[in-house]
Every structure is written in C-alpha cells, then in structure tokens.
Amino acid sequence: MEKRDELYSGKAKSVYLTDDAQKLILFFRNDTSAFDGEKVEKLARKGKVNNKFNAFIMEKLEQAGIPTHFEKKLSDEESLVKKLDMFPIECVVRNIAAGSLCKRLGIKEGIDVSPPLFEFFLKNDELHDPMINDYHIQSFGWAGEDDVAQMKTLTLKVNEILKKLFLDAGLLLVDYKLEFGRFNDQVVLGDEFTPDGCRLWDVTTREKLDKDRFRQGLGGVVEAYEEVASRLGVEI
Ligand code: 5GP
C-alpha cells in the first residue's frame, strides 16, 4: 500500500490518499483540541494510543456485526480504512447525563438517562456543531431516509456492544459520538472511536478517563487513555 498526498487534515487526524482509490490512510497525530478547535495542545503518545485503541474497538464492532471502514493497523500511528462518502453528521448516544446535554437542558451531571438518548448534530465547527433532527437531514439532503434509519440502528447497536465491553473493564460508557458514510450503497461506520470522542468514567469512583480531562484542565489526559486501554487489554 503506497501512501500518496494528504487529502484532509482534521483537528487530531490527517487523512492520506493511497494508490488504491477506495482506501485511505488515517494518521493519528498527538494534537488534541477542544471547544471547536479553540484549545489545542500536543500530547505525547496520544496518536499512538488512539490509533491502537481505535483499531481494537473497530475490530470488536466488526466482529459483532457493525460494518466499519477499518481495514488494518499499518504502524503505531497509522491505519488503513475504506474511503467512505461521509455524511456531515454526528450521531451521539447518552447513557448518563454529561456535557452539552446538561448545559442545554439544565440536567444534573451523572444522572442515568434511560432509555438512552439519541441525538444528531451537524458537523460544522463555525456553527459549533448545532443539534439537528431527522427533518433537517432530509430537507437539506445531508442523508436519505434509509441512511438516517441505519445510522440510528447502528449507533444504538454499538451502545449495547460497547456498554458491556467497557463495563467488564470497570468503566461506564457515559456517551459517545459516531460518524457514518456510504460505501457501495451501504451505511458504514467511519471516523474513529477513542476517548477523544466518548466519555468513560470509572464505575466505582466515577473518575473521568476521557477527553473531559483535557477540556476541564484536569491533567493526566494520555495517562487516563492508557489506563482505559490497559483495562481493556489493548496492547500499546
Ligand atoms: P457533548 O454533546 O456533550 O459535547 O458530546 C457528547 C459526546 O460526543 C462526548 O462523548 C463527546 O466527546 C462527543 N463529541 C461530540 N462532538 C464531538 C466532536 O466534535 N469531536 C469529538 N472528538 N467528540 C465529540
């Protein structure tokens, strides 16, 4: 597999073309950002930890029947993925109240959300990723009716798989964000699943072991990611 030009540079990953038009290389950088790119820092080892963490989770999801773009890990910081036609949408599921849900609705952090909440957001930093619903998505052509149904079904199925996986490792899956795209007419999970895009709390102490450590200036960000990886048995 030959790496070609950079296609796109995101806040924490760079995406490269390859000699295969249907495959891309994701390069997980050490950059960490929050508040739509307003706070940015380089954190040693984060690229490597997230690449390996993502590979582990994507493989678990694939084994459980979720179609993902993940093909294989290429190096410490790089993975090969299928090239999807991405929907400009973020799918969020919440099992415990935190983050923007608390701010938006005045809900107390930490209360159980049952049944879990599903929310759509438009992927647009300038607009601060506003919340949208199925009607916005279809009226503005961001995805079709069947795509919307598939994104909901798959995102909620991921919840059942990962809630258990994390709980077995002594972790609560508080919430997470997924992004999907189309590959040969199929809705497929893209982007990444790492502690950058989910909230994970220790089941006993409720200590935060995810990107909220960075957002809230709690320190020990990569150490927390490594702790989560080690509990899951991810080799770093
Ligand atoms: P919230 O809406 O509370 O800010 O985020 C809900 C969940 O989705 C959290 O786990 C958060 O990390 C994730 N999330 C939401 N938007 C983004 C985003 O733009 N980038 C990343 N990395 N994660 C996000």
Tab-separated table of all heavy atoms in Angstrom, residues 189-228:
chain	number	residue	atom	x	y	z
A	189	LEU	N	-19.734	2.575	9.418
A	189	LEU	CA	-19.142	3.406	10.471
A	189	LEU	C	-17.760	3.894	10.047
A	189	LEU	O	-16.909	3.087	9.650
A	189	LEU	CB	-19.031	2.584	11.769
A	189	LEU	CG	-18.375	3.275	12.959
A	189	LEU	CD1	-19.166	4.513	13.397
A	189	LEU	CD2	-18.223	2.303	14.127
A	190	GLY	N	-17.548	5.214	10.141
A	190	GLY	CA	-16.257	5.783	9.761
A	190	GLY	C	-15.589	6.465	10.941
A	190	GLY	O	-15.839	6.121	12.099
A	191	ASP	N	-14.711	7.410	10.652
A	191	ASP	CA	-14.022	8.226	11.660
A	191	ASP	C	-13.303	7.344	12.683
A	191	ASP	O	-12.515	6.491	12.308
A	191	ASP	CB	-15.018	9.199	12.295
A	191	ASP	CG	-14.348	10.275	13.111
A	191	ASP	OD1	-13.396	10.898	12.596
A	191	ASP	OD2	-14.755	10.501	14.264
A	192	GLU	N	-13.538	7.540	13.967
A	192	GLU	CA	-12.788	6.809	14.992
A	192	GLU	C	-13.641	6.579	16.221
A	192	GLU	O	-14.655	7.268	16.416
A	192	GLU	CB	-11.559	7.628	15.412
A	192	GLU	CG	-11.931	8.937	16.133
A	192	GLU	CD	-10.720	9.734	16.616
A	192	GLU	OE1	-10.026	10.294	15.751
A	192	GLU	OE2	-10.479	9.788	17.838
A	193	PHE	N	-13.227	5.623	17.042
A	193	PHE	CA	-13.804	5.506	18.389
A	193	PHE	C	-12.627	5.491	19.353
A	193	PHE	O	-11.883	4.509	19.438
A	193	PHE	CB	-14.661	4.242	18.557
A	193	PHE	CG	-15.481	4.309	19.814
A	193	PHE	CD1	-16.851	4.566	19.746
A	193	PHE	CD2	-14.893	4.182	21.070
A	193	PHE	CE1	-17.616	4.682	20.906
A	193	PHE	CE2	-15.646	4.303	22.229
A	193	PHE	CZ	-17.003	4.548	22.154
A	194	THR	N	-12.435	6.610	20.051
A	194	THR	CA	-11.343	6.747	21.016
A	194	THR	C	-11.859	7.582	22.192
A	194	THR	O	-12.943	8.164	22.088
A	194	THR	CB	-10.136	7.497	20.396
A	194	THR	OG1	-10.537	8.853	20.142
A	194	THR	CG2	-9.657	6.863	19.098
A	195	PRO	N	-11.074	7.696	23.264
A	195	PRO	CA	-11.528	8.537	24.385
A	195	PRO	C	-11.610	10.026	24.025
A	195	PRO	O	-12.051	10.836	24.831
A	195	PRO	CB	-10.464	8.293	25.471
A	195	PRO	CG	-9.877	6.970	25.129
A	195	PRO	CD	-9.862	6.917	23.627
A	196	ASP	N	-11.187	10.396	22.797
A	196	ASP	CA	-11.390	11.772	22.321
A	196	ASP	C	-12.861	12.036	22.017
A	196	ASP	O	-13.302	13.190	22.024
A	196	ASP	CB	-10.607	12.007	21.017
A	196	ASP	CG	-9.188	12.479	21.264
A	196	ASP	OD1	-8.798	12.657	22.432
A	196	ASP	OD2	-8.465	12.672	20.267
A	197	GLY	N	-13.598	10.985	21.688
A	197	GLY	CA	-14.979	11.180	21.216
A	197	GLY	C	-16.008	10.435	22.032
A	197	GLY	O	-17.118	10.179	21.553
A	198	CYS	N	-15.622	10.060	23.259
A	198	CYS	CA	-16.617	9.428	24.138
A	198	CYS	C	-16.306	9.845	25.574
A	198	CYS	O	-15.267	10.442	25.837
A	198	CYS	CB	-16.578	7.899	24.014
A	198	CYS	SG	-15.091	7.116	24.646
A	199	ARG	N	-17.226	9.576	26.475
A	199	ARG	CA	-16.936	9.800	27.903
A	199	ARG	C	-16.922	8.448	28.601
A	199	ARG	O	-17.844	7.648	28.413
A	199	ARG	CB	-17.985	10.724	28.543
A	199	ARG	CG	-17.894	12.153	28.047
A	199	ARG	CD	-18.734	13.142	28.869
A	199	ARG	NE	-18.433	14.508	28.470
A	199	ARG	CZ	-19.141	15.206	27.554
A	199	ARG	NH1	-20.211	14.676	27.003
A	199	ARG	NH2	-18.776	16.434	27.232
A	200	LEU	N	-15.873	8.230	29.389
A	200	LEU	CA	-15.708	6.987	30.129
A	200	LEU	C	-15.387	7.323	31.575
A	200	LEU	O	-14.465	8.101	31.837
A	200	LEU	CB	-14.557	6.175	29.523
A	200	LEU	CG	-14.764	5.662	28.093
A	200	LEU	CD1	-13.444	5.218	27.474
A	200	LEU	CD2	-15.775	4.521	28.072
A	201	TRP	N	-16.170	6.784	32.499
A	201	TRP	CA	-15.931	7.027	33.932
A	201	TRP	C	-15.622	5.706	34.616
A	201	TRP	O	-16.204	4.659	34.271
A	201	TRP	CB	-17.185	7.624	34.594
A	201	TRP	CG	-17.572	8.994	34.118
A	201	TRP	CD1	-16.894	9.827	33.273
A	201	TRP	CD2	-18.791	9.694	34.468
A	201	TRP	NE1	-17.595	10.994	33.083
A	201	TRP	CE2	-18.757	10.939	33.804
A	201	TRP	CE3	-19.883	9.380	35.284
A	201	TRP	CZ2	-19.790	11.874	33.924
A	201	TRP	CZ3	-20.915	10.304	35.410
A	201	TRP	CH2	-20.859	11.543	34.734
A	202	ASP	N	-14.762	5.770	35.621
A	202	ASP	CA	-14.524	4.581	36.447
A	202	ASP	C	-15.851	4.224	37.122
A	202	ASP	O	-16.542	5.097	37.653
A	202	ASP	CB	-13.453	4.884	37.508
A	202	ASP	CG	-13.213	3.678	38.380
A	202	ASP	OD1	-12.362	2.848	38.025
A	202	ASP	OD2	-13.909	3.539	39.424
A	203	VAL	N	-16.189	2.932	37.104
A	203	VAL	CA	-17.506	2.512	37.589
A	203	VAL	C	-17.684	2.768	39.095
A	203	VAL	O	-18.796	3.051	39.549
A	203	VAL	CB	-17.769	1.020	37.220
A	203	VAL	CG1	-16.893	0.088	38.027
A	203	VAL	CG2	-19.231	0.656	37.353
A	204	THR	N	-16.605	2.733	39.860
A	204	THR	CA	-16.718	2.913	41.307
A	204	THR	C	-16.544	4.370	41.713
A	204	THR	O	-17.391	4.937	42.407
A	204	THR	CB	-15.643	2.056	42.040
A	204	THR	OG1	-15.654	0.758	41.479
A	204	THR	CG2	-15.919	1.983	43.517
A	205	THR	N	-15.446	4.983	41.256
A	205	THR	CA	-15.139	6.350	41.704
A	205	THR	C	-15.761	7.419	40.804
A	205	THR	O	-15.824	8.579	41.174
A	205	THR	CB	-13.621	6.580	41.703
A	205	THR	OG1	-13.157	6.470	40.343
A	205	THR	CG2	-12.886	5.554	42.556
A	206	ARG	N	-16.196	7.014	39.624
A	206	ARG	CA	-16.719	7.935	38.596
A	206	ARG	C	-15.663	8.949	38.127
A	206	ARG	O	-15.979	10.030	37.629
A	206	ARG	CB	-17.998	8.635	39.069
A	206	ARG	CG	-19.127	7.637	39.293
A	206	ARG	CD	-20.484	8.263	39.089
A	206	ARG	NE	-21.461	7.253	38.708
A	206	ARG	CZ	-22.626	7.518	38.132
A	206	ARG	NH1	-22.981	8.754	37.885
A	206	ARG	NH2	-23.446	6.547	37.808
A	207	GLU	N	-14.398	8.598	38.331
A	207	GLU	CA	-13.317	9.446	37.821
A	207	GLU	C	-13.412	9.505	36.299
A	207	GLU	O	-13.702	8.498	35.637
A	207	GLU	CB	-11.956	8.850	38.214
A	207	GLU	CG	-10.801	9.751	37.840
A	207	GLU	CD	-9.422	9.103	38.034
A	207	GLU	OE1	-9.362	7.907	38.355
A	207	GLU	OE2	-8.427	9.807	37.853
A	208	LYS	N	-13.177	10.709	35.727
A	208	LYS	CA	-13.257	10.892	34.283
A	208	LYS	C	-11.969	10.411	33.631
A	208	LYS	O	-10.882	10.835	34.032
A	208	LYS	CB	-13.493	12.372	33.955
A	208	LYS	CG	-14.860	12.831	34.436
A	208	LYS	CD	-15.115	14.300	34.255
A	208	LYS	CE	-16.543	14.568	34.720
A	208	LYS	NZ	-16.879	15.965	34.868
A	209	LEU	N	-12.109	9.532	32.622
A	209	LEU	CA	-10.933	8.944	31.978
A	209	LEU	C	-10.978	9.182	30.467
A	209	LEU	O	-10.628	8.304	29.683
A	209	LEU	CB	-10.884	7.437	32.295
A	209	LEU	CG	-10.721	7.094	33.782
A	209	LEU	CD1	-10.969	5.616	34.045
A	209	LEU	CD2	-9.330	7.493	34.287
A	210	ASP	N	-11.405	10.363	30.065
A	210	ASP	CA	-11.613	10.676	28.642
A	210	ASP	C	-11.211	12.121	28.373
A	210	ASP	O	-10.590	12.762	29.216
A	210	ASP	CB	-13.091	10.467	28.312
A	210	ASP	CG	-13.949	11.275	29.271
A	210	ASP	OD1	-13.887	12.518	29.212
A	210	ASP	OD2	-14.652	10.679	30.116
A	211	LYS	N	-11.612	12.638	27.209
A	211	LYS	CA	-11.164	13.975	26.808
A	211	LYS	C	-11.668	15.093	27.722
A	211	LYS	O	-11.144	16.217	27.658
A	211	LYS	CB	-11.518	14.277	25.348
A	211	LYS	CG	-10.679	15.438	24.821
A	211	LYS	CD	-10.596	15.506	23.331
A	211	LYS	CE	-11.728	16.257	22.745
A	211	LYS	NZ	-11.541	16.470	21.296
A	212	ASP	N	-12.633	14.837	28.579
A	212	ASP	CA	-13.033	15.868	29.545
A	212	ASP	C	-11.854	16.263	30.437
A	212	ASP	O	-11.811	17.382	30.951
A	212	ASP	CB	-14.224	15.403	30.399
A	212	ASP	CG	-15.569	15.739	29.735
A	212	ASP	OD1	-15.563	16.471	28.716
A	212	ASP	OD2	-16.611	15.271	30.230
A	213	ARG	N	-10.875	15.365	30.604
A	213	ARG	CA	-9.676	15.723	31.395
A	213	ARG	C	-8.946	16.885	30.720
A	213	ARG	O	-8.381	17.742	31.386
A	213	ARG	CB	-8.713	14.528	31.542
A	213	ARG	CG	-9.304	13.328	32.251
A	213	ARG	CD	-8.220	12.423	32.817
A	213	ARG	NE	-7.539	13.088	33.925
A	213	ARG	CZ	-7.984	13.083	35.164
A	213	ARG	NH1	-9.078	12.440	35.489
A	213	ARG	NH2	-7.311	13.720	36.097
A	214	PHE	N	-8.940	16.883	29.382
A	214	PHE	CA	-8.322	17.973	28.616
A	214	PHE	C	-9.235	19.206	28.625
A	214	PHE	O	-8.797	20.317	28.932
A	214	PHE	CB	-8.058	17.502	27.183
A	214	PHE	CG	-7.474	18.550	26.284
A	214	PHE	CD1	-6.152	18.975	26.436
A	214	PHE	CD2	-8.234	19.130	25.278
A	214	PHE	CE1	-5.607	19.952	25.606
A	214	PHE	CE2	-7.698	20.107	24.445
A	214	PHE	CZ	-6.383	20.516	24.611
A	215	ARG	N	-10.515	18.975	28.308
A	215	ARG	CA	-11.468	20.101	28.247
A	215	ARG	C	-11.503	20.847	29.578
A	215	ARG	O	-11.593	22.063	29.619
A	215	ARG	CB	-12.886	19.593	27.940
A	215	ARG	CG	-13.058	18.957	26.570
A	215	ARG	CD	-14.546	18.663	26.299
A	215	ARG	NE	-14.753	17.910	25.072
A	215	ARG	CZ	-14.984	16.588	25.022
A	215	ARG	NH1	-15.061	15.878	26.140
A	215	ARG	NH2	-15.151	15.982	23.865
A	216	GLN	N	-11.453	20.106	30.676
A	216	GLN	CA	-11.612	20.713	32.002
A	216	GLN	C	-10.286	20.986	32.706
A	216	GLN	O	-10.281	21.356	33.884
A	216	GLN	CB	-12.515	19.813	32.870
A	216	GLN	CG	-13.900	19.647	32.267
A	216	GLN	CD	-14.781	18.637	33.000
A	216	GLN	OE1	-14.421	18.134	34.068
A	216	GLN	NE2	-15.944	18.336	32.443
A	217	GLY	N	-9.159	20.787	31.986
A	217	GLY	CA	-7.830	21.066	32.553
A	217	GLY	C	-7.493	20.210	33.759
A	217	GLY	O	-6.828	20.658	34.692
A	218	LEU	N	-7.931	18.944	33.757
A	218	LEU	CA	-7.699	18.066	34.912
A	218	LEU	C	-6.323	17.403	34.878
A	218	LEU	O	-5.888	16.829	35.886
A	218	LEU	CB	-8.775	16.971	34.981
A	218	LEU	CG	-10.225	17.452	35.108
A	218	LEU	CD1	-11.194	16.274	35.018
A	218	LEU	CD2	-10.424	18.183	36.439
A	219	GLY	N	-5.637	17.475	33.706
A	219	GLY	CA	-4.310	16.856	33.591
A	219	GLY	C	-4.404	15.343	33.428
A	219	GLY	O	-5.497	14.762	33.490
A	220	GLY	N	-3.247	14.723	33.208
A	220	GLY	CA	-3.190	13.258	33.082
A	220	GLY	C	-4.068	12.719	31.962
A	220	GLY	O	-4.662	11.640	32.106
A	221	VAL	N	-4.116	13.427	30.847
A	221	VAL	CA	-5.024	13.041	29.751
A	221	VAL	C	-4.591	11.714	29.124
A	221	VAL	O	-5.348	10.735	29.139
A	221	VAL	CB	-5.085	14.156	28.663
A	221	VAL	CG1	-6.046	13.759	27.552
A	221	VAL	CG2	-5.482	15.490	29.268
A	222	VAL	N	-3.357	11.679	28.620
A	222	VAL	CA	-2.912	10.460	27.933
A	222	VAL	C	-2.785	9.305	28.929
A	222	VAL	O	-3.096	8.156	28.604
A	222	VAL	CB	-1.592	10.708	27.161
A	222	VAL	CG1	-1.092	9.425	26.515
A	222	VAL	CG2	-1.812	11.769	26.083
A	223	GLU	N	-2.396	9.634	30.172
A	223	GLU	CA	-2.303	8.589	31.212
A	223	GLU	C	-3.679	7.935	31.413
A	223	GLU	O	-3.787	6.716	31.599
A	223	GLU	CB	-1.803	9.186	32.538
A	223	GLU	CG	-0.335	9.596	32.540
A	223	GLU	CD	-0.054	10.921	31.813
A	223	GLU	OE1	-1.006	11.588	31.358
A	223	GLU	OE2	1.139	11.284	31.697
A	224	ALA	N	-4.738	8.737	31.365
A	224	ALA	CA	-6.102	8.194	31.520
A	224	ALA	C	-6.463	7.306	30.328
A	224	ALA	O	-7.032	6.226	30.501
A	224	ALA	CB	-7.114	9.332	31.657
A	225	TYR	N	-6.092	7.753	29.111
A	225	TYR	CA	-6.371	6.936	27.920
A	225	TYR	C	-5.618	5.601	28.025
A	225	TYR	O	-6.132	4.552	27.660
A	225	TYR	CB	-5.919	7.655	26.633
A	225	TYR	CG	-6.720	8.880	26.214
A	225	TYR	CD1	-7.501	9.598	27.111
A	225	TYR	CD2	-6.682	9.332	24.897
A	225	TYR	CE1	-8.209	10.724	26.705
A	225	TYR	CE2	-7.399	10.454	24.481
A	225	TYR	CZ	-8.141	11.153	25.391
A	225	TYR	OH	-8.836	12.257	24.978
A	226	GLU	N	-4.369	5.680	28.519
A	226	GLU	CA	-3.569	4.461	28.655
A	226	GLU	C	-4.176	3.522	29.701
A	226	GLU	O	-4.161	2.299	29.544
A	226	GLU	CB	-2.120	4.821	29.019
A	226	GLU	CG	-1.368	5.403	27.817
A	226	GLU	CD	-0.038	6.066	28.178
A	226	GLU	OE1	0.133	6.491	29.331
A	226	GLU	OE2	0.821	6.179	27.279
A	227	GLU	N	-4.725	4.115	30.751
A	227	GLU	CA	-5.376	3.319	31.794
A	227	GLU	C	-6.586	2.561	31.209
A	227	GLU	O	-6.769	1.368	31.443
A	227	GLU	CB	-5.816	4.264	32.933
A	227	GLU	CG	-6.821	3.712	33.924
A	227	GLU	CD	-6.225	2.668	34.871
A	227	GLU	OE1	-4.996	2.660	35.026
A	227	GLU	OE2	-7.010	1.865	35.432
A	228	VAL	N	-7.382	3.275	30.425
A	228	VAL	CA	-8.552	2.651	29.791
A	228	VAL	C	-8.087	1.525	28.859
A	228	VAL	O	-8.633	0.418	28.885
A	228	VAL	CB	-9.365	3.712	29.001
A	228	VAL	CG1	-10.412	3.048	28.138
A	228	VAL	CG2	-10.002	4.720	29.946
